[in-house]
Structure formats: structure tokens, C-alpha cells
Amino acid sequence: MLAYIRVCALLLAGALIALQAQAAPVPKVTSIDAPENILFIGNSFTYYNNGLHNYLRQLINAADKSGDGAGVLKLMTISGARLSEHASALRAILKSEDWDVVVLQGYSLEAVNKGMLKNFRNASRAFHKEITKAGADTVFFMTWAYTDRPEMTAPLDTSYTIMGNFVDSLVVPVGLAFEQARQQHPDISLIMKDRKHPTLAGTYLAACVFYAALFQQSPAELDYRPPRLREATAEALREVAWEATRSYYTRQAGT
């Protein structure tokens, strides 16, 4: 009888895991007003390859037909930092510019590790309150799975989407774009040999996802690519960025 109960419990646990995997949360916020001044708060996932913001700036400039170009794009990053470690400098950086959007990127395991999750959620709520008070929109940077842990993608998706929904904020699905690119273009290396940090292609993909999410426009036809990135690679990544972004924002309940 005890063995039977254990088997039933295992089957039930497996069923629940399968159900959770199928029922990805639906993002409540799917668009915001196109921003001009953008601040990124995070760690090395954001600043690698000379900073994600610089690639986003180039994409904005490539799309701009008025000739005005991008506004102010800056980073506030600390190597290996959890989100809460930026608390002491948050108010000062918020006062330094008339920000339209402030992007929050947590430590790569922070949103899915049980020991870190509470701190991540508390910091997210507190930061969102200060960002709103400063007149800006909070945006969350959904990070990607480690190379040797692709199963991280789904819980990162769930955690960031739930957090975004809780504070009515946009989530940028970079992690989902990385997974889609991994499946569709396994020849493109997005993550370095350390299994965590982005290659040039990875940072470029992240910037393309941010462009698609923040401006609700496809980056597919934009002619900017980093000089060291092949045109065919850049084109494929721009297409993945748009597909992954639209798929996330049009997600239906239960899918």
C-alpha cells in the first residue's frame, strides 16, 4: 500500500509539472509608449560586449527617419549583482535624467532560485515604486537559460511574467528569443564558453528583442549590424527577435 501511495504521488507530481509547463502565464502589459530616454539596471548580462544599450541605440538610429536619433541610453550595472544591490544608487540615477523607461535585470538565477526569489520580488516592487514616482515605466528584462541548463527557460518565463503582471509592467522576452534561436539556428553561438554570458550575437539578439518590444516594430528590415557579425547571422537574429516577441505578447491562456 505504501509503495502504491508513493507511485500515485509521483504520478500526480509529474502531472502537475506537465500542467505548469503547458500553462505559461499570459503577460498583461503588451505595449508601452515608445520611449526616448532608457536606463538599464542590471549586471554583466547587460554590460557585456560594450553594453546592450549601445546596440539598441544603433537599431533606433537605423529606424529613425527624422534624423533626430536615439535619446539618452545608459547603464547602471554591477558585476554579478542581484537587483537589490542597486538600491543605494537608485534614487540618484533616477533623478539624473528624465527617464521614460527603466529596465530591471536581476541576477541570472535570482528569479528562479527559491533562496533568492523573495529578495528579487521585494526589490522589484520597491524599485517599481521609485521608478513610477520618477515618472518612468518599469520594464523587466527576462534573461536566458544557461547553455547546460535549457530547462531554465520556462521558469524564467513564468517568474518574470508573474512579476511584470503583479506591478503592471512590460516584460521583454529575451530568454524566449534565445531559446527559439537555439532551436532554429543551432549554428549561431549566443552564449560564451562559460555557459552564461552573451556572445556578440547574443547581445545583438537581446537588443533586437528590446527594440521589438519597446517600439512594437519589427527589427527584421533594419540595416544595422555590428561589424564583426555576419549579415546572414544578423538577419536571422532580427527575424527571431520579432517572432519571439510577437508570440509572447499574443500568448493565449493555457498555451
Side-chain angles (χ1 to χ4, degrees):
M1 177 62 71
L2 183 57
Y4 174 78
I5 293 173
R6 286 176 177 171
V7 169
C8 288
L10 288 171
L11 289 173
L12 177 59
L16 288 172
I17 290 171
L19 180 61
Q20 289 171 351
Q22 294 174 4
V26 176
K28 289 167 57 177
V29 179
T30 58
S31 65
I32 58 173
D33 292 338
E36 182 175 350
N37 299 331
I38 305 169
L39 171 66
F40 287 84
I41 297 178
N43 56 37
S44 54
F45 274 29
T46 293
Y47 73 64
Y48 251 54
N49 301 303
N50 198 35
L52 189 160
H53 67 310
N54 284 320
Y55 299 89
L56 179 58
R57 178 185 289 111
Q58 294 292 345
L59 291 167
I60 295 170
N61 288 341
D64 182 59
K65 293 179 172 57
S66 68
D68 294 334
V72 178
L73 279 72
K74 287 185 178 181
L75 306 182
M76 182 171 75
T77 58
I78 303 172
S79 179
R82 300 184 189 185
L83 190 60
S84 60
E85 293 180 61
H86 294 284
S88 61
L90 180 65
R91 290 186 180 180
I93 195 73
L94 290 177
K95 292 178 180 178
S96 70
E97 191 67 52
D98 185 16
W99 302 110
D100 299 306
V101 158
V102 178
V103 178
L104 302 181
Q105 178 248 311
Y107 178 71
S108 52
L109 291 175
E110 193 172 7
V112 294
N113 181 283
K114 290 183 179 180
M116 301 180 184
L117 183 57
K118 183 177 180 180
N119 184 64
F120 171 70
R121 289 179 173 173
N122 288 341
S124 295
R125 287 191 291 263
F127 281 33
H128 172 69
K129 184 177 180 180
E130 294 295 331
I131 292 165
T132 301
K133 192 184 301 183
D137 288 323
T138 301
V139 168
F140 287 95
F141 179 163
M142 182 199 297
T143 56
W144 52 83
Y146 296 167
T147 303
D148 58 343
R149 294 180 60 182
E151 70 277 5
M152 287 172 60
T153 299
L156 282 167
D157 174 3
T158 296
S159 186
Y160 272 100
T161 303
I162 288 173
M163 193 66 246
N165 287 348
F166 187 79
V167 295
D168 294 317
S169 295
L170 187 76
V171 177
V172 178
V174 176
L176 297 180
F178 266 59
E179 176 59 20
Q180 183 170 326
R182 184 183 70 84
Q183 294 182 18
Q184 294 182 359
H185 305 282
D187 57 313
I188 300 177
S189 178
L190 301 175
I191 299 175
M192 300 180 71
K193 291 182 180 180
D194 67 2
R195 304 186 301 276
K196 299 178 182 180
H197 291 96
T199 61
L200 175 62
T203 295
Y204 180 73
L205 175 58
C208 290
V209 178
F210 267 96
Y211 178 84
L214 295 179
F215 297 95
Q216 292 296 298
Q217 295 179 10
S218 173
E221 301 304 319
L222 299 182
D223 61 5
Y224 165 69
R225 66 177 174 87
R228 292 186 289 115
L229 203 62
R230 293 173 52 247
E231 178 53 44
T233 299
E235 182 179 346
L237 294 177
R238 291 195 300 269
E239 290 175 355
V240 166
W242 182 240
E243 292 169 5
T245 302
R246 297 315 306 154
S247 177
Y248 178 65
Y249 294 136
T250 59
R251 179 187 288 172
Q252 300 296 313
T255 60

mmCIF file of all heavy atoms in Angstrom, residues 87-136:
data_model
loop_
_atom_site.group_PDB
_atom_site.id
_atom_site.type_symbol
_atom_site.label_atom_id
_atom_site.label_comp_id
_atom_site.label_asym_id
_atom_site.label_seq_id
_atom_site.Cartn_x
_atom_site.Cartn_y
_atom_site.Cartn_z
ATOM 1 N N ALA A 87 20.067 49.323 -4.846
ATOM 2 C CA ALA A 87 19.130 50.156 -4.097
ATOM 3 C C ALA A 87 19.735 51.488 -3.658
ATOM 4 O O ALA A 87 19.079 52.535 -3.735
ATOM 5 C CB ALA A 87 18.613 49.386 -2.882
ATOM 6 N N SER A 88 20.974 51.470 -3.196
ATOM 7 C CA SER A 88 21.568 52.692 -2.644
ATOM 8 C C SER A 88 21.766 53.777 -3.699
ATOM 9 O O SER A 88 21.777 54.970 -3.374
ATOM 10 C CB SER A 88 22.917 52.372 -1.983
ATOM 11 O OG SER A 88 23.830 51.839 -2.933
ATOM 12 N N ALA A 89 21.921 53.382 -4.957
ATOM 13 C CA ALA A 89 22.170 54.364 -6.021
ATOM 14 C C ALA A 89 20.930 54.655 -6.860
ATOM 15 O O ALA A 89 20.967 55.515 -7.746
ATOM 16 C CB ALA A 89 23.288 53.868 -6.933
ATOM 17 N N LEU A 90 19.832 53.943 -6.582
ATOM 18 C CA LEU A 90 18.652 54.041 -7.443
ATOM 19 C C LEU A 90 18.083 55.450 -7.524
ATOM 20 O O LEU A 90 17.871 55.989 -8.622
ATOM 21 C CB LEU A 90 17.572 53.064 -6.971
ATOM 22 C CG LEU A 90 16.284 53.082 -7.800
ATOM 23 C CD1 LEU A 90 16.555 52.596 -9.217
ATOM 24 C CD2 LEU A 90 15.204 52.227 -7.134
ATOM 25 N N ARG A 91 17.827 56.082 -6.381
ATOM 26 C CA ARG A 91 17.182 57.393 -6.404
ATOM 27 C C ARG A 91 18.032 58.429 -7.121
ATOM 28 O O ARG A 91 17.507 59.274 -7.861
ATOM 29 C CB ARG A 91 16.871 57.851 -4.978
ATOM 30 C CG ARG A 91 15.752 57.050 -4.325
ATOM 31 C CD ARG A 91 15.363 57.603 -2.973
ATOM 32 N NE ARG A 91 14.293 56.825 -2.371
ATOM 33 C CZ ARG A 91 13.756 57.089 -1.188
ATOM 34 N NH1 ARG A 91 14.214 58.114 -0.458
ATOM 35 N NH2 ARG A 91 12.785 56.329 -0.715
ATOM 36 N N ALA A 92 19.345 58.358 -6.915
ATOM 37 C CA ALA A 92 20.235 59.330 -7.564
ATOM 38 C C ALA A 92 20.201 59.180 -9.080
ATOM 39 O O ALA A 92 20.125 60.172 -9.812
ATOM 40 C CB ALA A 92 21.656 59.164 -7.045
ATOM 41 N N ILE A 93 20.256 57.948 -9.569
ATOM 42 C CA ILE A 93 20.258 57.745 -11.020
ATOM 43 C C ILE A 93 18.902 58.104 -11.621
ATOM 44 O O ILE A 93 18.820 58.609 -12.751
ATOM 45 C CB ILE A 93 20.658 56.292 -11.387
ATOM 46 C CG1 ILE A 93 21.008 56.188 -12.876
ATOM 47 C CG2 ILE A 93 19.580 55.299 -11.039
ATOM 48 C CD1 ILE A 93 22.313 56.791 -13.263
ATOM 49 N N LEU A 94 17.831 57.890 -10.870
ATOM 50 C CA LEU A 94 16.510 58.256 -11.371
ATOM 51 C C LEU A 94 16.361 59.771 -11.517
ATOM 52 O O LEU A 94 15.664 60.266 -12.406
ATOM 53 C CB LEU A 94 15.412 57.710 -10.450
ATOM 54 C CG LEU A 94 15.204 56.197 -10.459
ATOM 55 C CD1 LEU A 94 14.131 55.803 -9.455
ATOM 56 C CD2 LEU A 94 14.833 55.708 -11.861
ATOM 57 N N LYS A 95 17.059 60.520 -10.644
ATOM 58 C CA LYS A 95 16.999 61.976 -10.699
ATOM 59 C C LYS A 95 17.949 62.571 -11.740
ATOM 60 O O LYS A 95 17.862 63.764 -12.052
ATOM 61 C CB LYS A 95 17.336 62.563 -9.325
ATOM 62 C CG LYS A 95 16.284 62.286 -8.253
ATOM 63 C CD LYS A 95 16.720 62.851 -6.912
ATOM 64 C CE LYS A 95 15.674 62.578 -5.834
ATOM 65 N NZ LYS A 95 16.120 63.078 -4.498
ATOM 66 N N SER A 96 18.843 61.755 -12.269
ATOM 67 C CA SER A 96 19.881 62.267 -13.166
ATOM 68 C C SER A 96 19.371 62.593 -14.560
ATOM 69 O O SER A 96 20.035 63.291 -15.324
ATOM 70 C CB SER A 96 21.018 61.244 -13.284
ATOM 71 O OG SER A 96 20.590 60.091 -14.006
ATOM 72 N N GLU A 97 18.179 62.074 -14.906
ATOM 73 C CA GLU A 97 17.668 62.262 -16.265
ATOM 74 C C GLU A 97 16.154 62.104 -16.235
ATOM 75 O O GLU A 97 15.596 61.526 -15.305
ATOM 76 C CB GLU A 97 18.287 61.207 -17.203
ATOM 77 C CG GLU A 97 18.055 61.431 -18.672
ATOM 78 C CD GLU A 97 18.757 62.668 -19.188
ATOM 79 O OE1 GLU A 97 19.982 62.793 -18.947
ATOM 80 O OE2 GLU A 97 18.085 63.504 -19.828
ATOM 81 N N ASP A 98 15.494 62.630 -17.247
ATOM 82 C CA ASP A 98 14.050 62.456 -17.374
ATOM 83 C C ASP A 98 13.797 61.134 -18.097
ATOM 84 O O ASP A 98 13.535 61.093 -19.301
ATOM 85 C CB ASP A 98 13.462 63.629 -18.164
ATOM 86 C CG ASP A 98 11.937 63.580 -18.224
ATOM 87 O OD1 ASP A 98 11.340 62.834 -17.428
ATOM 88 O OD2 ASP A 98 11.355 64.282 -19.080
ATOM 89 N N TRP A 99 13.871 60.030 -17.353
ATOM 90 C CA TRP A 99 13.772 58.706 -17.960
ATOM 91 C C TRP A 99 12.341 58.388 -18.382
ATOM 92 O O TRP A 99 11.382 58.707 -17.675
ATOM 93 C CB TRP A 99 14.255 57.642 -16.980
ATOM 94 C CG TRP A 99 15.652 57.833 -16.513
ATOM 95 C CD1 TRP A 99 16.071 58.191 -15.261
ATOM 96 C CD2 TRP A 99 16.851 57.701 -17.304
ATOM 97 N NE1 TRP A 99 17.436 58.288 -15.212
ATOM 98 C CE2 TRP A 99 17.942 57.995 -16.457
ATOM 99 C CE3 TRP A 99 17.098 57.368 -18.638
ATOM 100 C CZ2 TRP A 99 19.258 57.952 -16.900
ATOM 101 C CZ3 TRP A 99 18.406 57.325 -19.085
ATOM 102 C CH2 TRP A 99 19.465 57.615 -18.237
ATOM 103 N N ASP A 100 12.223 57.728 -19.511
ATOM 104 C CA ASP A 100 10.928 57.222 -19.956
ATOM 105 C C ASP A 100 10.739 55.771 -19.533
ATOM 106 O O ASP A 100 9.635 55.351 -19.186
ATOM 107 C CB ASP A 100 10.812 57.317 -21.486
ATOM 108 C CG ASP A 100 10.917 58.738 -21.988
ATOM 109 O OD1 ASP A 100 10.145 59.583 -21.513
ATOM 110 O OD2 ASP A 100 11.777 58.996 -22.854
ATOM 111 N N VAL A 101 11.822 55.019 -19.579
ATOM 112 C CA VAL A 101 11.797 53.598 -19.247
ATOM 113 C C VAL A 101 13.010 53.255 -18.393
ATOM 114 O O VAL A 101 14.119 53.719 -18.672
ATOM 115 C CB VAL A 101 11.809 52.729 -20.526
ATOM 116 C CG1 VAL A 101 12.322 51.329 -20.258
ATOM 117 C CG2 VAL A 101 10.420 52.653 -21.143
ATOM 118 N N VAL A 102 12.790 52.431 -17.363
ATOM 119 C CA VAL A 102 13.888 51.882 -16.564
ATOM 120 C C VAL A 102 13.770 50.368 -16.624
ATOM 121 O O VAL A 102 12.754 49.794 -16.222
ATOM 122 C CB VAL A 102 13.849 52.366 -15.107
ATOM 123 C CG1 VAL A 102 14.989 51.737 -14.310
ATOM 124 C CG2 VAL A 102 13.927 53.884 -15.038
ATOM 125 N N VAL A 103 14.798 49.724 -17.156
ATOM 126 C CA VAL A 103 14.813 48.278 -17.349
ATOM 127 C C VAL A 103 15.478 47.612 -16.152
ATOM 128 O O VAL A 103 16.589 47.985 -15.760
ATOM 129 C CB VAL A 103 15.575 47.903 -18.634
ATOM 130 C CG1 VAL A 103 15.619 46.390 -18.799
ATOM 131 C CG2 VAL A 103 14.934 48.565 -19.855
ATOM 132 N N LEU A 104 14.813 46.612 -15.584
ATOM 133 C CA LEU A 104 15.343 45.881 -14.437
ATOM 134 C C LEU A 104 15.752 44.477 -14.849
ATOM 135 O O LEU A 104 14.946 43.707 -15.378
ATOM 136 C CB LEU A 104 14.298 45.802 -13.318
ATOM 137 C CG LEU A 104 13.760 47.135 -12.781
ATOM 138 C CD1 LEU A 104 12.745 46.877 -11.664
ATOM 139 C CD2 LEU A 104 14.900 48.019 -12.275
ATOM 140 N N GLN A 105 17.020 44.141 -14.618
ATOM 141 C CA GLN A 105 17.555 42.816 -14.920
ATOM 142 C C GLN A 105 18.159 42.224 -13.660
ATOM 143 O O GLN A 105 19.121 42.747 -13.104
ATOM 144 C CB GLN A 105 18.620 42.907 -16.028
ATOM 145 C CG GLN A 105 19.285 41.570 -16.379
ATOM 146 C CD GLN A 105 20.752 41.520 -15.981
ATOM 147 O OE1 GLN A 105 21.527 42.434 -16.291
ATOM 148 N NE2 GLN A 105 21.152 40.450 -15.302
ATOM 149 N N GLY A 106 17.581 41.133 -13.197
ATOM 150 C CA GLY A 106 18.074 40.500 -11.990
ATOM 151 C C GLY A 106 19.230 39.559 -12.261
ATOM 152 O O GLY A 106 19.576 39.270 -13.412
ATOM 153 N N TYR A 107 19.861 39.063 -11.206
ATOM 154 C CA TYR A 107 20.896 38.037 -11.319
ATOM 155 C C TYR A 107 20.298 36.839 -12.049
ATOM 156 O O TYR A 107 19.101 36.539 -11.907
ATOM 157 C CB TYR A 107 21.380 37.665 -9.917
ATOM 158 C CG TYR A 107 22.408 36.575 -9.883
ATOM 159 C CD1 TYR A 107 23.702 36.808 -10.335
ATOM 160 C CD2 TYR A 107 22.079 35.307 -9.399
ATOM 161 C CE1 TYR A 107 24.651 35.800 -10.303
ATOM 162 C CE2 TYR A 107 23.017 34.301 -9.357
ATOM 163 C CZ TYR A 107 24.308 34.550 -9.817
ATOM 164 O OH TYR A 107 25.238 33.553 -9.785
ATOM 165 N N SER A 108 21.102 36.120 -12.801
ATOM 166 C CA SER A 108 20.584 35.099 -13.709
ATOM 167 C C SER A 108 19.760 34.002 -13.041
ATOM 168 O O SER A 108 18.877 33.422 -13.670
ATOM 169 C CB SER A 108 21.732 34.475 -14.500
ATOM 170 O OG SER A 108 22.763 34.026 -13.641
ATOM 171 N N LEU A 109 20.027 33.700 -11.774
ATOM 172 C CA LEU A 109 19.251 32.692 -11.048
ATOM 173 C C LEU A 109 18.249 33.304 -10.082
ATOM 174 O O LEU A 109 17.444 32.588 -9.483
ATOM 175 C CB LEU A 109 20.183 31.765 -10.270
ATOM 176 C CG LEU A 109 21.064 30.816 -11.086
ATOM 177 C CD1 LEU A 109 22.008 30.070 -10.159
ATOM 178 C CD2 LEU A 109 20.221 29.837 -11.890
ATOM 179 N N GLU A 110 18.285 34.610 -9.950
ATOM 180 C CA GLU A 110 17.525 35.275 -8.897
ATOM 181 C C GLU A 110 16.021 35.065 -9.013
ATOM 182 O O GLU A 110 15.316 34.944 -8.012
ATOM 183 C CB GLU A 110 17.844 36.780 -8.937
ATOM 184 C CG GLU A 110 17.374 37.561 -7.738
ATOM 185 C CD GLU A 110 17.899 38.985 -7.754
ATOM 186 O OE1 GLU A 110 18.507 39.411 -8.753
ATOM 187 O OE2 GLU A 110 17.676 39.671 -6.736
ATOM 188 N N ALA A 111 15.516 35.026 -10.231
ATOM 189 C CA ALA A 111 14.070 34.922 -10.429
ATOM 190 C C ALA A 111 13.555 33.495 -10.321
ATOM 191 O O ALA A 111 12.339 33.280 -10.307
ATOM 192 C CB ALA A 111 13.692 35.505 -11.792
ATOM 193 N N VAL A 112 14.456 32.513 -10.225
ATOM 194 C CA VAL A 112 14.006 31.118 -10.203
ATOM 195 C C VAL A 112 14.549 30.320 -9.021
ATOM 196 O O VAL A 112 14.082 29.209 -8.774
ATOM 197 C CB VAL A 112 14.398 30.404 -11.519
ATOM 198 C CG1 VAL A 112 13.632 30.999 -12.692
ATOM 199 C CG2 VAL A 112 15.890 30.468 -11.784
ATOM 200 N N ASN A 113 15.526 30.852 -8.313
ATOM 201 C CA ASN A 113 16.089 30.153 -7.166
ATOM 202 C C ASN A 113 15.247 30.455 -5.918
ATOM 203 O O ASN A 113 15.017 31.621 -5.579
ATOM 204 C CB ASN A 113 17.538 30.602 -6.956
ATOM 205 C CG ASN A 113 18.203 29.911 -5.791
ATOM 206 O OD1 ASN A 113 17.955 30.253 -4.645
ATOM 207 N ND2 ASN A 113 19.063 28.944 -6.087
ATOM 208 N N LYS A 114 14.807 29.429 -5.235
ATOM 209 C CA LYS A 114 13.923 29.625 -4.081
ATOM 210 C C LYS A 114 14.544 30.494 -3.008
ATOM 211 O O LYS A 114 13.862 31.266 -2.348
ATOM 212 C CB LYS A 114 13.530 28.271 -3.486
ATOM 213 C CG LYS A 114 12.581 27.464 -4.369
ATOM 214 C CD LYS A 114 12.180 26.160 -3.696
ATOM 215 C CE LYS A 114 11.215 25.362 -4.569
ATOM 216 N NZ LYS A 114 10.827 24.082 -3.906
ATOM 217 N N GLY A 115 15.861 30.375 -2.831
ATOM 218 C CA GLY A 115 16.529 31.165 -1.815
ATOM 219 C C GLY A 115 16.683 32.627 -2.174
ATOM 220 O O GLY A 115 16.914 33.463 -1.298
ATOM 221 N N MET A 116 16.581 32.950 -3.447
ATOM 222 C CA MET A 116 16.767 34.324 -3.917
ATOM 223 C C MET A 116 15.469 34.998 -4.346
ATOM 224 O O MET A 116 15.410 36.227 -4.449
ATOM 225 C CB MET A 116 17.722 34.337 -5.127
ATOM 226 C CG MET A 116 19.095 33.768 -4.882
ATOM 227 S SD MET A 116 20.094 33.865 -6.400
ATOM 228 C CE MET A 116 21.586 33.021 -5.887
ATOM 229 N N LEU A 117 14.437 34.203 -4.609
ATOM 230 C CA LEU A 117 13.230 34.729 -5.244
ATOM 231 C C LEU A 117 12.535 35.817 -4.428
ATOM 232 O O LEU A 117 12.100 36.841 -4.971
ATOM 233 C CB LEU A 117 12.254 33.577 -5.520
ATOM 234 C CG LEU A 117 10.967 33.945 -6.256
ATOM 235 C CD1 LEU A 117 11.255 34.614 -7.587
ATOM 236 C CD2 LEU A 117 10.106 32.695 -6.458
ATOM 237 N N LYS A 118 12.432 35.617 -3.121
ATOM 238 C CA LYS A 118 11.749 36.603 -2.289
ATOM 239 C C LYS A 118 12.458 37.954 -2.356
ATOM 240 O O LYS A 118 11.807 39.006 -2.486
ATOM 241 C CB LYS A 118 11.675 36.121 -0.833
ATOM 242 C CG LYS A 118 10.913 37.077 0.077
ATOM 243 C CD LYS A 118 10.807 36.518 1.497
ATOM 244 C CE LYS A 118 10.050 37.484 2.409
ATOM 245 N NZ LYS A 118 9.943 36.948 3.795
ATOM 246 N N ASN A 119 13.774 37.926 -2.277
ATOM 247 C CA ASN A 119 14.551 39.163 -2.350
ATOM 248 C C ASN A 119 14.362 39.848 -3.709
ATOM 249 O O ASN A 119 14.241 41.073 -3.805
ATOM 250 C CB ASN A 119 16.029 38.864 -2.118
ATOM 251 C CG ASN A 119 16.882 40.107 -2.090
ATOM 252 O OD1 ASN A 119 16.744 40.967 -1.230
ATOM 253 N ND2 ASN A 119 17.800 40.227 -3.059
ATOM 254 N N PHE A 120 14.331 39.043 -4.782
ATOM 255 C CA PHE A 120 14.120 39.580 -6.124
ATOM 256 C C PHE A 120 12.756 40.261 -6.230
ATOM 257 O O PHE A 120 12.637 41.370 -6.757
ATOM 258 C CB PHE A 120 14.232 38.453 -7.150
ATOM 259 C CG PHE A 120 13.813 38.854 -8.537
ATOM 260 C CD1 PHE A 120 14.576 39.725 -9.293
ATOM 261 C CD2 PHE A 120 12.643 38.342 -9.085
ATOM 262 C CE1 PHE A 120 14.188 40.099 -10.569
ATOM 263 C CE2 PHE A 120 12.251 38.702 -10.361
ATOM 264 C CZ PHE A 120 13.023 39.587 -11.111
ATOM 265 N N ARG A 121 11.735 39.611 -5.727
ATOM 266 C CA ARG A 121 10.383 40.182 -5.816
ATOM 267 C C ARG A 121 10.255 41.436 -4.954
ATOM 268 O O ARG A 121 9.645 42.418 -5.378
ATOM 269 C CB ARG A 121 9.352 39.130 -5.408
ATOM 270 C CG ARG A 121 9.214 38.022 -6.430
ATOM 271 C CD ARG A 121 8.203 36.966 -6.014
ATOM 272 N NE ARG A 121 7.980 36.009 -7.087
ATOM 273 C CZ ARG A 121 7.261 34.900 -6.966
ATOM 274 N NH1 ARG A 121 6.698 34.593 -5.795
ATOM 275 N NH2 ARG A 121 7.098 34.085 -7.996
ATOM 276 N N ASN A 122 10.838 41.403 -3.768
ATOM 277 C CA ASN A 122 10.782 42.591 -2.908
ATOM 278 C C ASN A 122 11.509 43.768 -3.551
ATOM 279 O O ASN A 122 11.013 44.907 -3.538
ATOM 280 C CB ASN A 122 11.396 42.277 -1.540
ATOM 281 C CG ASN A 122 10.523 41.377 -0.690
ATOM 282 O OD1 ASN A 122 9.316 41.248 -0.945
ATOM 283 N ND2 ASN A 122 11.094 40.757 0.314
ATOM 284 N N ALA A 123 12.686 43.504 -4.116
ATOM 285 C CA ALA A 123 13.440 44.566 -4.780
ATOM 286 C C ALA A 123 12.687 45.085 -5.995
ATOM 287 O O ALA A 123 12.643 46.298 -6.241
ATOM 288 C CB ALA A 123 14.820 44.053 -5.192
ATOM 289 N N SER A 124 12.087 44.194 -6.747
ATOM 290 C CA SER A 124 11.331 44.600 -7.934
ATOM 291 C C SER A 124 10.178 45.524 -7.566
ATOM 292 O O SER A 124 9.961 46.555 -8.217
ATOM 293 C CB SER A 124 10.797 43.366 -8.666
ATOM 294 O OG SER A 124 11.841 42.572 -9.174
ATOM 295 N N ARG A 125 9.451 45.167 -6.525
ATOM 296 C CA ARG A 125 8.326 46.013 -6.094
ATOM 297 C C ARG A 125 8.814 47.364 -5.603
ATOM 298 O O ARG A 125 8.229 48.412 -5.922
ATOM 299 C CB ARG A 125 7.524 45.291 -5.001
ATOM 300 C CG ARG A 125 6.686 44.138 -5.515
ATOM 301 C CD ARG A 125 5.722 43.646 -4.464
ATOM 302 N NE ARG A 125 6.406 42.975 -3.360
ATOM 303 C CZ ARG A 125 6.548 41.662 -3.261
ATOM 304 N NH1 ARG A 125 6.075 40.880 -4.204
ATOM 305 N NH2 ARG A 125 7.158 41.117 -2.225
ATOM 306 N N ALA A 126 9.874 47.350 -4.804
ATOM 307 C CA ALA A 126 10.403 48.607 -4.264
ATOM 308 C C ALA A 126 10.951 49.492 -5.381
ATOM 309 O O ALA A 126 10.707 50.709 -5.402
ATOM 310 C CB ALA A 126 11.503 48.311 -3.242
ATOM 311 N N PHE A 127 11.681 48.911 -6.335
ATOM 312 C CA PHE A 127 12.228 49.676 -7.447
ATOM 313 C C PHE A 127 11.111 50.230 -8.324
ATOM 314 O O PHE A 127 11.167 51.369 -8.781
ATOM 315 C CB PHE A 127 13.165 48.797 -8.281
ATOM 316 C CG PHE A 127 14.536 48.615 -7.696
ATOM 317 C CD1 PHE A 127 14.744 48.581 -6.323
ATOM 318 C CD2 PHE A 127 15.643 48.448 -8.516
ATOM 319 C CE1 PHE A 127 16.009 48.407 -5.773
ATOM 320 C CE2 PHE A 127 16.917 48.270 -7.990
ATOM 321 C CZ PHE A 127 17.096 48.251 -6.619
ATOM 322 N N HIS A 128 10.105 49.402 -8.555
ATOM 323 C CA HIS A 128 8.970 49.848 -9.373
ATOM 324 C C HIS A 128 8.295 51.073 -8.751
ATOM 325 O O HIS A 128 7.925 52.016 -9.463
ATOM 326 C CB HIS A 128 7.956 48.718 -9.523
ATOM 327 C CG HIS A 128 6.674 49.135 -10.178
ATOM 328 N ND1 HIS A 128 6.589 49.490 -11.512
ATOM 329 C CD2 HIS A 128 5.422 49.282 -9.666
ATOM 330 C CE1 HIS A 128 5.347 49.819 -11.797
ATOM 331 N NE2 HIS A 128 4.622 49.698 -10.699
ATOM 332 N N LYS A 129 8.161 51.056 -7.447
ATOM 333 C CA LYS A 129 7.553 52.190 -6.757
ATOM 334 C C LYS A 129 8.360 53.463 -6.985
ATOM 335 O O LYS A 129 7.788 54.532 -7.279
ATOM 336 C CB LYS A 129 7.448 51.884 -5.254
ATOM 337 C CG LYS A 129 6.736 52.972 -4.451
ATOM 338 C CD LYS A 129 6.617 52.545 -2.991
ATOM 339 C CE LYS A 129 5.916 53.630 -2.165
ATOM 340 N NZ LYS A 129 5.792 53.214 -0.735
ATOM 341 N N GLU A 130 9.667 53.381 -6.872
ATOM 342 C CA GLU A 130 10.531 54.550 -7.079
ATOM 343 C C GLU A 130 10.538 54.989 -8.547
ATOM 344 O O GLU A 130 10.544 56.192 -8.846
ATOM 345 C CB GLU A 130 11.961 54.233 -6.634
ATOM 346 C CG GLU A 130 12.114 53.983 -5.146
ATOM 347 C CD GLU A 130 11.797 55.220 -4.307
ATOM 348 O OE1 GLU A 130 11.994 56.348 -4.802
ATOM 349 O OE2 GLU A 130 11.345 55.042 -3.163
ATOM 350 N N ILE A 131 10.529 54.030 -9.442
ATOM 351 C CA ILE A 131 10.518 54.346 -10.874
ATOM 352 C C ILE A 131 9.226 55.049 -11.257
ATOM 353 O O ILE A 131 9.233 56.048 -11.992
ATOM 354 C CB ILE A 131 10.712 53.056 -11.696
ATOM 355 C CG1 ILE A 131 12.128 52.512 -11.491
ATOM 356 C CG2 ILE A 131 10.441 53.298 -13.178
ATOM 357 C CD1 ILE A 131 12.304 51.079 -11.961
ATOM 358 N N THR A 132 8.111 54.559 -10.743
ATOM 359 C CA THR A 132 6.821 55.182 -11.018
ATOM 360 C C THR A 132 6.776 56.596 -10.453
ATOM 361 O O THR A 132 6.282 57.526 -11.105
ATOM 362 C CB THR A 132 5.686 54.335 -10.416
ATOM 363 O OG1 THR A 132 5.730 53.020 -10.984
ATOM 364 C CG2 THR A 132 4.330 54.968 -10.701
ATOM 365 N N LYS A 133 7.307 56.755 -9.259
ATOM 366 C CA LYS A 133 7.351 58.077 -8.633
ATOM 367 C C LYS A 133 8.169 59.059 -9.474
ATOM 368 O O LYS A 133 7.876 60.263 -9.521
ATOM 369 C CB LYS A 133 7.952 57.957 -7.220
ATOM 370 C CG LYS A 133 7.796 59.215 -6.363
ATOM 371 C CD LYS A 133 8.516 59.039 -5.022
ATOM 372 C CE LYS A 133 7.986 57.860 -4.247
ATOM 373 N NZ LYS A 133 8.653 57.730 -2.910
ATOM 374 N N ALA A 134 9.172 58.541 -10.158
ATOM 375 C CA ALA A 134 10.030 59.381 -11.002
ATOM 376 C C ALA A 134 9.400 59.664 -12.368
ATOM 377 O O ALA A 134 9.979 60.393 -13.184
ATOM 378 C CB ALA A 134 11.388 58.719 -11.187
ATOM 379 N N GLY A 135 8.240 59.057 -12.631
ATOM 380 C CA GLY A 135 7.535 59.328 -13.874
ATOM 381 C C GLY A 135 7.915 58.436 -15.033
ATOM 382 O O GLY A 135 7.609 58.737 -16.193
ATOM 383 N N ALA A 136 8.587 57.322 -14.756
ATOM 384 C CA ALA A 136 9.028 56.413 -15.819
ATOM 385 C C ALA A 136 8.247 55.100 -15.755
ATOM 386 O O ALA A 136 7.566 54.799 -14.777
ATOM 387 C CB ALA A 136 10.522 56.141 -15.698
#
